Amino acid sequence: MKRYNIRIYIALFPLLLIINFIYAQGNLSGSFETNTIYYQNDNKTGAIAPDNSLGSNNYFKLDYQYKKFKAGVQYEAYLPVLQGLPGTLRNSGLEFKYASFQDSNLAITAGDFYEQFGNGLILRAYEERSIGLNTAMEGIRLAYSFRNLIRVKAILGRPREFMDKAESNVKGVSLFIDLASLLKSQYSTAGIELNAVNRYVSYAGQEPIDPNVQAYSLNANWSTGPFNFQGEYAYKTKDNSVYSNSINKDGSALLLEAGYNRPGFGSNVTFRRLEYMQFGTSRGIAGIGRDLNYLPALTKQHSYSLAMINPHNTMGNGEIGGQLDMQYQLKPESFLGGKYGTQLSLNASTYYDLAGDVSRGFDFLSFGSTKYYQDINIEVEKKLHNTLLSHLFYSSQVFNPIVIGKENKLYASHIAAGDMIWRSMPSGSLRLELQHLWSRDYLKNWAGALIEFSRGEWTCFAGDIYNYGDTNIHYYHVGGSYSFSRTRVAMNYGRNREGLICAGGVCLYMPAYTGLHLSVTSSF
Amino acid sequence: MKQYLLSCLLSLLALFVAGQTRLPLIPLSTMQGASVNSGALLNDSVPVVISFWSTTCKPCIEELNAFKEQWVKWQKEVSFRLVAVSTDDVRSLAKVRTFSAAREWPFTVLIDRNQDFKRALNVNVIPQLYIITPEGNIVYSHIGYTPGIEEKVLEVLKGL
């Protein structure tokens, strides 16, 4: 055993020398993340543990910078992949590697890169580890800025598809013009962005399928004083793909936003219309890890678990609707605001299908007859005492399971939640959270409670959400975490319900599981 | 088995090698849509506190509210700049403006739309906070927020 240890030290010594040398010359940085779950069978929820009872997603990233040059890699190991995430994430490898040069005007990247044009309506390459998503492009990226007034980006590459590359080649160019700076306006900002993307997938069959699909978008924004406006229109040429039901149809998207914000008050209204705008990395099935663009659900992202049971899932082939968001502060030392002030929030959204059909065409601004989603959310945040903070929340939601491929019907629910945080100075806090969901549909009523204690770098919690309207199952959780500098270690044990898990606006249907979850993240 | 061992070794390596020491230079945008390079955050020649947050992260908002409460007092004690970098993407980007306006945050809020800055600093979870010297050196960072940790930030700033 002793000899074995000596061998390890001898093997690590040159590695440490190399690291020391690299540090002396430039800057080495990186991160490590593991999410590992030991699964158990659970008769109550129907959760079935995999053969080896283990799932483990691991990421190790290294970046090295020397003056204007940078290079890096990301090693990923799925040992095996966590249950519910795409099974095509398997084994391990250096899945992200790049070299780049960057000065004040020019940036060149060879290898893998992330990118977004405009609001992502025609292109977004990004990573969302919690749902196993990474659509990084492998190829060349060029960006040039002319005195920060005009910025040009050009990309050429192949999108990643899980542990492989998609069958497509993607080209794109983006031009941004800072109009306000060009016109030397001191009181407003304004800019326009023109984007174009080409996706080529070779085709040797007999059908009249064009191997090229083009997508274009025009984005404009203007902000002056308390007002801001933004609009983006996107158009996609005919795209005969599985995700568009093999209908050789073109697509379009319109996104409009307007806001009025001044100290103590913020408001924003968003409108979006999508018509056959799903855009896959190939002509096969689109979805998690296979999308070239980004069409998130424009609804409130909730932090209370019972408000997340039935989240909206964007219908990229046809959806119209919008969202309103308002926030207001009742001033401190006022009659209604009390000593510390009170924060009020209102958020509402509604989405429908498009009126019309493929054969006769879709109306441009009419709502269809099928409601996909609707919610109204009200929040009150009030500090009651120097050491006591309260938060009250109410949400009324209407969800149509057609958005996850099930029958066309409406589930209505009402959720009320509240939490109190008591601070024990200098570094302790106790949080108590209570939630309830009322519904006559689907799984009917739920109740939930959570208690969390933090002190210094340590946090521990115990919680449960309980369905008492249909299944009578408790989904309990107990766990804790320790954070130090740039490292966090967390462990929890409990049951997880089956259902949609959404991260960054993309949703994934997860099976129920029960088990012990270890999460370690560290950066350096 | 070899892969498990390799993962364990890499995690130990991550824990024990020295930290990132320089501020990466990445384009960010203001809430009005103007472009700002992260290097410009150092233009005032004062230390910069960078806090990564999002509108859906409760501890992040608690941390920023704690800074707001101490803002006037702290500015009298030590000169520094606080930049709250939002990692919200298109889904919740519009709420960043309403959120920060209604809360009257007195510090700078910038947007990291496709999370390039977050990735360049190897931030995996938020909130994560950094203190950068006027020369661009990272001298302190922490993950997560527990009440009172802002006093540690003040202590580090006073020592610079």
Side-chain angles (χ1 to χ4, degrees):
Chain A
M1 189 65 186
K2 199 173 178 182
R3 183 178 292 175
Y4 181 69
N5 283 341
I6 290 168
R7 282 182 188 166
I8 290 177
Y9 291 135
I10 291 169
L12 281 177
F13 186 68
L15 179 64
L16 293 172
L17 274 181
I18 291 167
I19 290 171
N20 191 36
F21 173 78
I22 289 170
Y23 259 107
Q25 300 299 313
N27 186 42
L28 181 69
S29 60
S31 66
F32 173 76
E33 182 177 355
T34 182
N35 281 290
T36 300
I37 299 177
Y38 181 79
Y39 295 100
Q40 290 178 313
N41 290 325
D42 190 333
N43 294 334
K44 193 80 177 169
T45 62
I48 299 168
D51 288 344
N52 67 352
S53 299
L54 202 70
S56 183
N57 290 7
N58 304 275
Y59 306 87
F60 182 73
K61 181 171 172 280
L62 269 181
D63 296 302
Y64 177 68
Q65 183 164 5
Y66 179 70
K67 295 183 179 173
K68 293 177 180 178
F69 295 92
K70 199 172 176 185
V73 292
Q74 179 165 294
Y75 171 80
E76 298 176 18
Y78 302 95
L79 307 168
V81 69
L82 297 176
Q83 268 192 330
L85 301 191
T88 36
L89 290 171
R90 58 169 78 97
N91 300 324
S92 61
L94 285 177
E95 296 303 316
F96 192 94
K97 39 205 174 293
Y98 72 97
S100 68
F101 168 85
Q102 182 172 357
D103 69 8
S104 55
N105 295 320
L106 176 69
I108 305 170
T109 304
D112 297 292
F113 57 86
Y114 300 102
E115 184 55 88
Q116 178 174 326
F117 287 177
N119 288 294
L121 290 173
I122 63 169
L123 181 88
R124 188 183 185 201
Y126 70 112
E127 181 184 39
E128 186 59 64
R129 289 180 183 173
S130 59
I131 52 171
L133 187 155
N134 191 321
T135 55
M137 307 270 278
E138 183 195 62
I140 301 286
R141 177 184 182 274
L142 289 167
Y144 192 80
S145 171
F146 299 88
R147 296 180 188 173
N148 218 20
L149 299 176
I150 297 172
R151 298 192 289 275
V152 183
K153 289 188 282 190
I155 60 160
L156 176 62
R158 292 187 307 157
R160 175 175 168 181
E161 204 170 281
F162 307 109
M163 302 301 276
D164 213 334
K165 300 294 172 202
E167 58 184 1
S168 59
N169 283 303
V170 174
K171 299 184 273 293
V173 62
S174 173
L175 170 70
F176 176 82
I177 302 170
D178 187 337
L179 293 174
S181 299
L182 270 177
L183 300 171
K184 297 188 168 59
S185 168
Q186 293 180 339
Y187 305 104
S188 59
T189 59
I192 57 167
E193 185 177 335
L194 293 153
N195 305 301
V197 169
N198 166 276
R199 187 202 68 190
Y200 172 82
V201 182
S202 65
Y203 180 71
Q206 302 300 311
E207 301 288 323
I209 290 177
D210 188 340
N212 289 289
V213 176
Q214 328 285 352
Y216 309 96
S217 77
L218 170 64
N219 179 291
N221 73 75
W222 178 49
S223 173
T224 182
F227 300 98
N228 64 275
F229 304 93
Q230 193 211 172
E232 182 166 346
Y233 179 77
Y235 175 76
K236 179 166 73 90
T237 59
K238 287 179 179 177
D239 182 6
N240 191 333
S241 302
V242 173
Y243 54 79
S244 56
N245 304 318
S246 298
I247 296 167
N248 201 25
K249 187 185 172 334
D250 56 355
S252 66
L254 176 65
L255 177 72
L256 298 171
E257 247 177 47
Y260 173 77
N261 302 288
R262 61 172 172 75
F265 177 73
S267 64
N268 193 82
V269 62
T270 307
F271 168 83
R272 189 177 68 180
R273 180 188 186 276
L274 301 171
E275 179 181 333
Y276 279 82
M277 264 315 280
Q278 276 204 285
F279 196 10
T281 52
S282 71
R283 275 195 295 267
I285 298 166
I288 300 286
R290 291 191 174 105
D291 287 321
L292 202 56
N293 61 349
Y294 181 58
L295 307 173
L298 297 181
T299 57
K300 181 175 173 61
Q301 287 175 280
H302 298 286
S303 54
Y304 293 104
S305 53
L306 293 187
M308 291 190 276
I309 285 183
N310 292 313
H312 180 45
N313 194 28
T314 303
M315 301 296 277
N317 282 344
E319 180 183 284
I320 185 167
Q323 180 181 206
L324 170 72
D325 192 60
M326 295 174 78
Q327 309 227 7
Y328 183 67
Q329 185 190 56
L330 297 169
K331 299 283 182 197
E333 306 290 356
S334 66
F335 176 69
L336 290 172
K339 184 178 179 185
Y340 300 98
T342 302
Q343 206 71 47
L344 305 175
S345 306
L346 170 71
N347 177 280
S349 64
T350 187
Y351 292 92
Y352 283 77
D353 68 337
L354 297 176
D357 55 50
V358 174
S359 54
R360 80 166 174 86
F362 294 99
D363 295 350
F364 189 63
L365 289 177
S366 303
F367 284 39
S369 57
T370 303
K371 181 185 282 186
Y372 288 145
Y373 187 81
Q374 182 174 295
D375 67 355
I376 298 170
N377 310 286
I378 298 167
E379 283 178 272
V380 180
E381 193 182 312
K382 184 167 180 59
K383 194 172 177 179
L384 300 170
H385 182 264
N386 198 29
T387 58
L388 197 62
L389 183 70
S390 68
H391 196 178
L392 295 172
F393 169 80
Y394 167 76
S395 179
S396 169
Q397 301 180 354
V398 178
F399 169 79
N400 191 335
I402 197 172
V403 300
I404 52 171
K406 296 186 176 178
E407 60 186 321
N408 179 13
K409 63 188 294 188
L410 296 176
Y411 296 154
S413 60
H414 300 270
I415 301 113
D419 63 61
M420 299 278 278
I421 301 173
W422 177 67
R423 289 178 183 172
S424 156
M425 291 301 180
S427 62
S429 75
L430 181 70
R431 186 165 81 92
L432 176 67
E433 177 185 294
L434 297 170
Q435 308 179 58
H436 194 274
L437 181 152
W438 292 267
S439 180
R440 292 178 181 168
D441 305 312
Y442 192 40
L443 297 175
K444 302 189 171 63
N445 293 344
W446 292 76
L450 181 135
I451 187 161
E452 183 182 80
F453 176 70
S454 303
R455 182 161 187 85
E457 294 89 2
W458 294 91
T459 298
C460 60
F461 72 91
D464 183 29
I465 58 169
Y466 172 52
N467 178 276
Y468 69 94
D470 186 58
T471 63
N472 294 323
I473 295 175
H474 286 275
Y475 293 90
Y476 52 81
H477 265 98
V478 58
S481 69
Y482 174 72
S483 303
F484 175 72
S485 185
R486 298 183 213 178
T487 299
R488 181 174 185 270
V489 181
M491 187 177 277
N492 72 74
Y493 176 78
R495 275 181 182 155
N496 291 269
R497 62 175 183 84
E498 71 169 331
L500 277 186
I501 301 294
C502 300
V506 180
C507 300
L508 183 69
Y509 202 79
M510 296 285 278
Y513 70 89
T514 299
L516 182 70
H517 183 177
L518 169 71
S519 169
V520 180
T521 176
S522 182
S523 62
F524 55 90
Chain B
M1 192 61 188
K2 279 181 183 171
Q3 288 173 326
Y4 284 114
L5 288 173
L6 181 60
S7 290
C8 292
L9 182 67
L10 292 176
S11 66
L12 286 173
L13 186 69
L15 290 173
F16 292 113
V17 297
Q20 173 158 7
T21 53
R22 298 288 299 170
L23 179 70
L25 304 178
I26 302 288
L28 298 163
S29 61
T30 66
M31 287 195 289
Q32 288 73 35
S35 179
V36 180
N37 192 288
S38 57
L41 303 180
L42 305 170
N43 286 354
D44 295 344
S45 301
V46 293
V48 180
V49 176
I50 295 176
S51 175
F52 285 90
W53 72 289
S54 89
T55 55
T56 56
C57 165
K58 271 190 173 181
C60 306
I61 294 154
E62 269 190 69
E63 181 167 65
L64 292 171
N65 283 339
F67 279 119
K68 182 195 164 187
E69 285 174 16
Q70 304 289 341
W71 188 253
V72 176
K73 184 176 158 226
W74 282 23
Q75 288 293 314
K76 288 176 186 165
E77 293 181 34
V78 58
S79 180
F80 73 101
R81 183 177 184 189
L82 173 60
V83 181
V85 177
S86 160
T87 59
D88 290 87
D89 66 18
V90 169
R91 181 172 189 192
S92 47
L93 203 53
K95 295 188 188 79
V96 175
R97 287 191 204 97
T98 59
F99 216 86
S100 45
R103 278 161 181 74
E104 296 190 71
W105 284 342
F107 35 79
T108 309
V109 177
L110 295 177
I111 292 164
D112 185 21
R113 194 170 57 165
N114 204 26
Q115 298 167 2
D116 296 322
F117 191 47
K118 181 180 168 219
R119 247 189 315 272
L121 273 168
N122 289 297
V123 174
N124 289 331
V125 290
I126 55 171
Q128 188 154 342
L129 179 143
Y130 291 87
I131 298 179
I132 323 280
T133 65
E135 295 76 36
N137 297 317
I138 298 170
V139 289
Y140 171 84
S141 70
H142 70 239
I143 290 180
Y145 173 71
T146 47
I149 203 166
E150 59 273 16
E151 296 298 330
K152 172 72 181 167
V153 174
L154 178 65
E155 191 184 305
V156 175
L157 286 169
K158 282 180 172 173
L160 291 177

